[in-house]
Each structure stands twice: as C-alpha cells, then as structure tokens.
Amino acid sequence: MTATEARPEAGQRKAPQIVEMSWDPITRIIGNLGIYTKIDFANREVTECHSTSSLFRGYSVFMKGKDPRDAGFITSRICGICGDNHTTCSDYAQQMAYGIKPPPLAEHIVNLGEAAEYMFDHTIFQDNMVFVDFCEAMVRATNPGVLARAERTAAPRGHIHGHRTIADIMRAFNPFEGAVYKEALQVSRITREMFCLMEGRHVHPSTLYPGGVGTMPSPTAFTDYLSRLLRVTDFIKTSVAMNDDVFDFFYEALPGYEEVGRRRILLGCWGAWQNPDVCDYRYETMDQWGRAMYVTPGIVVDGELVTNSLVDINLGMRILLGSSFYEDWTNEEPFVRHDPLGNPVDMRHPWNQTTLPEPQKRDFAGNYSWVMSPRWYHAASGQHLALDTGGGPLARLWSTALNGLVDTPYIKATGHSVRISLPRSERLPEMTLEWQIPRWSNTLERDRARPYFVAYAAAMAFDFLDRAMGRVRAGDTRIFTDFEVPDEAIGCGFHEAVRGVLSHHLVIKDKKIANYHPYPPTPWNASPRDGFGTPGPYEDAVQGQPVFEENGPEDFKGVDIMRTVRSFDPCLPCGVHMYLGNGKVLQTRHSPVYGETHG
C-alpha cells in the first residue's frame, strides 16, 4: 500500500507528452543523490520518480569489534555536516548501555552546542542553498511572470526586514551578490564559533564523551557564547519575516502551488535536548525523559499525534530492504530478542540488523539504490509507514506543538502552535513569533519551518545559558561521570540531527561492539520503494506533483522538483556507505620517505 494521497484531477486532461528527465547528481549537496523522473509536459505534472544513491560506505560493518567508547568519535565521521549530532546520539546510546548519567552542567553544555549547530546549519542551508531556488535570478529564468508580479507586490513585513517588495527580497538572496546571501555567511561563521565554544571542534567534536564533556565551564565561555547569540538575533527575527513574505507570496501568485511536494502527513520526530532534571538514560524510564525533552518526540499521522513514547518509537522501527542493494539477514540469529522491559524486538529492528551488501546494476524495475527503506510499523493499521522528517524543523515543530508539553520562559507549545520569545536585540525589540500547524506537509511548509526553528534554537540557547550559569554560580561545576564498560549491554540513543530523526543502536558483548546501527534522517527521506511498493518520501513528494515552471522540455530547469527535494534538506553521506569487498587493483605505488624521485 503506497503512502501517496491521490491528487485531485484538474479539468480535462490532454494526451500525455512524457519526457524522461534526471538530475544526477543533485547539486548543492554531496554528489551521491540522483532523482530520475518522467514528466508529462502536456498535463504539467511529474508522473514517476525514483530516488537513487550511488555509493556504499558501511559504518555498521567496520564498527564491529571496536571499543564502544570510540563509537562517538568514529560515527561523527559519517558526515562532514552534522557529525556532532552523531557524537551526541552515540553518547546517549552509550550512557544507556553503561548505566550512567552525566552531570546537569554537562547536559546544558551539550544542549548549547547542539543549539548552535541547528542555527549554523539551518542558516547556511536555507539562505545559501534553498533560497537560490527562490532568488530573483532563478525566478527570472523559470517563472518570469511570477517575478513581474513580485516587483509589484509590497512585502507585508517590510517594517521588520527592510525590503520594500517581494522582488527586493528575492534579489537579496541572489548567490554571491545578494545582501542577505552574504550576511547569512557571516551569521554561519558566528554560530559556528558558538558551537566551538561548547564542543571544541566543528564538525567532529573534541570535547564530547560518554559520561560528560571536556569543556571548561568558565563564565567567560558562556559570556562569549551569549555575546555572539545576541549578535545574530536581529538576523534571525528578520529571516522569519522574509521567509513568511516570500512563501505567502508563492501561494498567492501560483494558485495550486500547495500541491508542490505535498504528501500525506507522515512525520517522525525523535526529540532533542535532554532535560537533566528528568533524564537518567535508563530504558525503563525512557518514555518519561523522552517527553521531558525540549523538543518533544512524536509520530504524526494524517495530522494526529499517534505516540510520543520513545519505547513505542523504538520498537516500531523496521529496516526493509525493498529496492536496495543488500541481501536479507532475517534468517540469522538475533542479537536482541527482548528489550529491557521484556517487549519482543523484531528481526528487522536496528538492534538485529546485519549489513550484507550486494552490488548490482541499477534497475528501476528492481533494485536501484544503496539506501535501505527504514519504516515505522503502525500496529493499529498494520502498515509500514514511510515517515519523513519534514526536513527536520517541520516534524519537530509539528510534534512539539501537538504534544503541548514544552513550557519554558522562551518556548511555549500550545497544542496547535509553538510560541517563540526572543529578547530585545541590537536593532529590533523583544519579539514573540508563533509557528502555526499548517494545512499541508509540502515544499513551502518544510522550508518555512526552517527559519522558525532557528528562532526556536536561539530561544532555547538563552534558556540553556540561564541554567548553565545558574549551576556555575551555585558552585556546581561537575562535567563528567566516571564509568566502566560492561561485559554485555544494549543501548539506544534518540536525537534530532539538523535534518531530522537520528537514532543509534548499540549491542556490546565481551566489552566490544557486537552490533551498531546509526539511522540518520536521510535514509528515511531518500529511501527507495520498499517491498510493499511504498515509495520513499523524496519519491512520494515529487511523484504526482504539478509543474509550474514556464519553460518547456528544451530548456526545463526542474526548479519545482529541486525545490521539493531540497526542502527535505538532503544530505547523502549518512545515507550511503562504503564497500570493502573484492575489487580490481588499478595501481600499486610505493613512495620513499623523501619522495619517489629523490636520489
């Protein structure tokens, strides 16, 4: 059963004019993602889409036999973009396995580092990559009629961001020359400095460990972080206003644009930022401390909150092979039969997965990707749901809003929205922003959510600073809890990488890693069709969407398709792996110490 909702027919259909088009590699990300489509230019819609990944790496293979204490340092190298998210999540899994809890101040430092990472990554992606698809130069090339209207349309929030028309905002995002494009690069530099103050090195942290941190909790470090946070707060406030103006304009200028990238509301969020007053990392209490996170975990199906239980989320995970280049492992002996609460663990759960690569020729009628098909088993319906992350922010905000549990001096979840309060900054007054649950899970709403979550991260950073400085003033400067590696244990960590759900599952035997599986957001979003025929989220969102670009097949840019794929914040390093099987030696070379030409 597919996840796709039937899209409404619009008037009398014409005889199809099908053209096959592909974008491989997708630009502005690492070059392993390909999108292959069939487009009906007569009826202006995408009729078919396949998402492919062309590289295999295999962290789950070479993690076996390693010292589990090294897992955070190794898995951070999965990605050169969000490696710190992997380190953090790995530490969470290890802390469960070792039965330890870091001191509260260490948790606040980790939370501050992760908040800075969200601000850094979302800003550079939204303003320097996503908005290239909405900038004046791109709109002129693909929808000149829309640009003409943008020149005549006043920007409703110009009193906040300072731009007179929608076209002025679009010009500000022109690559390399637009004012906002260039300012975003500066903001990314500042937020990266904030990250390094807490986690030591970007993007592979040098001061995060299971049990705590190595960051010295000096008042100077927190003050330096705060001064930088205040420097970027004006930009964050104006960014939300500019994005709202542009995305509202697209809905008005192109009736029906809500269908671009729209798919059934199937959102997953694993939660972010631990609350040290509640979190003890015990699996037996995981539901309680999961609900106490400052981003609330949840699975949202058709707009309804299905569960916010991390135990349910964990047990429902299934890794299906579908159309991927792997052999099945389900006839092997399981690593974990029951979780610590006695619940049975499925053979397709990450705790029990074995990665068995099977390289082969790409075949869209068969197997065509190195990405597997993670799914969440919905027991009530008996379906394996192809959850997506909404690019990260959409699922985080939607789940947090519906749960209505987060209530801090800066963030309030209301059940239908999230209110974000930012203090007075250099130019703009104190401001309360409110993200409302939208009508659709589509391209524009994924992109709209991103600047709101930058504001959310900034607001929580102010809160974490207050809590950290309170600990220091009270004389509680402990930042590490000692531990021993057990002979046998299991652990799981749940976190939000920048672009969405992140989990690490660990099995220890004889003090070594017996099995280890990280599942970041891109395998969920970029997954191919599974064994039930369900397309992955990229495929589902693109397939069936209308085409609004004014160009014909000869000079077609595919801007609506690119906007949709990029709205998920694609990042393929974590979706692909490395194959170390038998190969052909092309050249063997030895270079002496002083160089091969010396002497």
Side-chain angles (χ1 to χ4, degrees), residues 14-27:
K14 302 176 183 178
Q17 180 191 355
I18 305 296
V19 178
E20 292 189 17
M21 288 192 167
S22 63
W23 291 264
D24 190 355
I26 297 290
T27 55

Side-chain angles (χ1 to χ4, degrees), residues 31-275:
N32 303 118
L33 171 63
I35 297 294
Y36 289 74
T37 66
K38 292 181 181 179
I39 301 172
D40 181 354
F41 279 92
N43 293 289
R44 310 294 294 175
E45 69 176 10
V46 182
T47 62
E48 188 175 305
C49 177
H50 291 84
S51 169
T52 73
S53 172
S54 58
L55 180 67
F56 174 78
R57 287 164 75 196
Y59 273 77
S60 55
V61 176
F62 59 74
M63 290 292 288
K64 291 185 177 183
K66 300 290 193 297
D67 188 317
R69 293 170 294 185
D70 291 336
F73 297 103
I74 296 172
T75 58
S76 85
R77 270 71 183 179
I78 289 173
C79 185
I81 299 171
C82 54
D84 62 288
N85 302 143
H86 282 285
T87 300
T88 300
C89 196
S90 178
D91 289 348
Y92 290 169
Q94 290 180 68
Q95 283 153 193
M96 180 181 289
Y98 307 155
I100 55 168
K101 169 183 166 59
L105 183 56
E107 294 281 28
H108 296 320
I109 289 172
V110 172
N111 288 347
L112 283 166
E114 296 303 274
E117 172 65 8
Y118 291 134
M119 287 183 270
F120 161 79
D121 197 319
H122 282 323
T123 295
I124 202 168
F125 183 74
Q126 183 82 347
D127 296 341
N128 301 121
M129 298 181 195
V130 163
F131 243 99
V132 173
D133 289 332
F134 294 91
C135 75
E136 183 249 6
M138 182 64 77
V139 177
R140 182 187 300 278
T142 58
N143 292 87
V146 171
L147 181 60
R149 178 167 177 166
E151 297 281 10
R152 304 189 302 268
T153 303
R157 299 167 183 84
H159 63 288
I160 298 175
H161 53 65
H163 298 284
R164 187 177 64 84
T165 67
I166 300 298
D168 289 336
I169 301 175
M170 292 176 174
R171 271 187 282 276
F173 282 100
N174 278 339
F176 309 116
E177 58 186 34
V180 176
Y181 183 95
K182 291 188 286 188
E183 186 179 3
L185 294 174
Q186 294 298 321
V187 168
S188 294
R189 177 182 60 80
I190 295 167
T191 49
R192 189 171 182 175
E193 291 173 356
M194 292 162 60
F195 174 94
C196 292
L197 285 166
M198 295 298 116
E199 298 193 19
R201 181 176 58 197
H202 193 273
V203 62
H204 309 302
S206 55
T207 59
L208 295 193
Y209 323 115
V213 300
T215 305
M216 290 299 294
S218 67
T220 301
F222 296 123
T223 302
D224 287 347
Y225 186 106
L226 175 60
S227 67
R228 287 165 172 80
L229 179 58
L230 287 168
R231 283 172 64 188
V232 301
T233 303
D234 271 340
F235 179 87
I236 292 169
K237 293 171 181 175
T238 59
S239 181
V240 171
M242 283 187 290
N243 279 259
D244 275 342
D245 277 354
V246 169
F247 298 139
D248 289 349
F249 167 79
F250 263 80
Y251 282 132
E252 296 167 5
L254 294 170
Y257 206 81
E258 67 275 3
E259 291 299 313
V260 172
R262 184 173 74 87
R263 70 185 301 256
R264 181 183 174 194
I265 299 168
L266 296 170
L267 298 171
C269 170
W270 295 173
W273 294 315
Q274 303 290 3
N275 181 341

Side-chain angles (χ1 to χ4, degrees), residues 336-371:
V336 180
R337 294 183 182 276
H338 296 88
D339 73 357
L341 291 170
N343 299 304
V345 176
D346 193 85
M347 194 61 194
R348 293 202 176 277
H349 187 275
W351 266 330
N352 288 323
Q353 181 187 340
T354 299
T355 301
L356 302 170
E358 188 179 8
Q360 56 198 275
K361 183 179 179 180
R362 184 169 60 200
D363 177 9
F364 290 131
N367 298 334
Y368 57 88
S369 181
W370 278 112
V371 178

Side-chain angles (χ1 to χ4, degrees), residues 233-342:
T233 303
D234 271 340
F235 179 87
I236 292 169
K237 293 171 181 175
T238 59
S239 181
V240 171
M242 283 187 290
N243 279 259
D244 275 342
D245 277 354
V246 169
F247 298 139
D248 289 349
F249 167 79
F250 263 80
Y251 282 132
E252 296 167 5
L254 294 170
Y257 206 81
E258 67 275 3
E259 291 299 313
V260 172
R262 184 173 74 87
R263 70 185 301 256
R264 181 183 174 194
I265 299 168
L266 296 170
L267 298 171
C269 170
W270 295 173
W273 294 315
Q274 303 290 3
N275 181 341
D277 296 336
V278 181
C279 181
D280 60 8
Y281 292 98
R282 294 174 59 241
Y283 188 92
E284 292 82 357
T285 58
M286 187 163 67
D287 278 356
Q288 292 95 297
W289 52 259
R291 293 186 183 102
M293 285 177 164
Y294 294 109
V295 167
T296 316
I299 291 174
V300 181
V301 177
D302 299 327
E304 300 295 324
L305 182 65
V306 171
T307 184
N308 61 10
S309 160
L310 280 181
V311 172
D312 289 348
I313 289 171
N314 177 50
L315 293 173
M317 292 178 69
R318 302 285 187 272
I319 310 304
L320 307 184
L321 295 182
S323 303
S324 59
F325 302 141
Y326 299 92
E327 296 178 13
D328 203 355
W329 66 84
T330 52
N331 291 326
E332 298 188 2
E333 189 71 16
F335 288 92
V336 180
R337 294 183 182 276
H338 296 88
D339 73 357
L341 291 170

